[in-house]
Amino acid sequence: MKAIVSVDANWAIGREGKLLCPVSADLKRFRQITTGHPVILGRKTLATFPGGRPLPGRRNLILSRTPGFLVEGAEVFPSLDALLAAAPEDSIVIGGESVYRALLSRCETIWVTQLGRAFPADAWFPALDQDPDWRETESGPIQEENGITFRYITYSRVK
């Protein structure tokens, strides 16, 4: 299992259910990496998508404790165990905060887009650069879009 996430300088991922700072190059990269793979996400993350609809070109596996929650074009699981029983190995975790935390221990690779500054936030991703279970294995150059700097970093689980 893998994960993909965009974080700010303090490992924040969102505020009031929204991305901190959408970067079009990062959104294109997200689409390129996840298309054709099952994606794992929570109900609240799904609600942030256009029309609250599942992502096209991907099998959408949604973790939700809301009884009776159903989504056309997606599979909804009421528990982590049920989700894990159905999730293929090539699944990619795409958020939000509680789903990342629940599945981080099962991931082998995490693709991070790190923004060059901090933003006001209310949701965070664990700081992988301070976690001995993770190591940076790839780091791209610093890029800039509309005054926001960012870079792509790949973290791998230490075996």
Side-chain angles (χ1 to χ4, degrees), residues 48-71:
T48 68
F49 296 165
R53 294 187 197 144
L55 295 173
R58 288 150 273 208
R59 181 179 169 201
N60 287 247
L61 308 173
I62 301 166
L63 183 60
S64 175
R65 292 185 286 273
T66 303
F69 181 73
L70 297 172
V71 177

Side-chain angles (χ1 to χ4, degrees), residues 1-137:
M1 191 173 289
K2 298 177 179 172
I4 187 166
V5 65
S6 179
V7 303
D8 77 355
N10 294 325
W11 291 87
I13 60 173
R15 181 174 183 196
E16 298 175 358
K18 296 179 183 162
L19 290 174
L20 296 174
C21 180
V23 174
S24 64
D26 181 45
L27 296 173
K28 288 176 188 171
R29 179 176 181 254
F30 173 88
R31 184 173 39 246
Q32 177 186 30
I33 288 173
T34 61
T35 296
H37 294 278
V39 291
I40 298 173
L41 61 150
R43 177 188 51 80
K44 292 178 186 175
T45 297
L46 175 69
T48 68
F49 296 165
R53 294 187 197 144
L55 295 173
R58 288 150 273 208
R59 181 179 169 201
N60 287 247
L61 308 173
I62 301 166
L63 183 60
S64 175
R65 292 185 286 273
T66 303
F69 181 73
L70 297 172
V71 177
E72 186 177 336
E75 299 166 59
V76 179
F77 299 91
S79 70
L80 190 58
D81 288 341
L83 181 136
L84 290 171
E89 283 188 35
D90 68 331
S91 296
I92 301 173
V93 181
I94 64 170
E97 181 180 20
S98 63
V99 175
Y100 283 131
R101 290 192 185 277
L103 293 170
L104 188 66
S105 66
R106 298 182 182 272
C107 293
E108 295 299 318
T109 301
I110 302 176
W111 294 293
V112 174
T113 300
Q114 188 172 53
L115 304 173
R117 66 183 189 105
F119 292 86
D122 58 16
W124 285 267
F125 193 85
L128 298 179
D129 57 355
Q130 297 173 18
D131 187 330
D133 291 338
W134 294 94
R135 75 172 186 276
E136 184 179 309
T137 53

Side-chain angles (χ1 to χ4, degrees), residues 21-28 143-150 152:
C21 180
V23 174
S24 64
D26 181 45
L27 296 173
K28 288 176 188 171
Q143 300 178 55
E144 186 270 333
E145 181 179 299
N146 297 325
I148 301 295
T149 60
F150 63 97
Y152 302 127

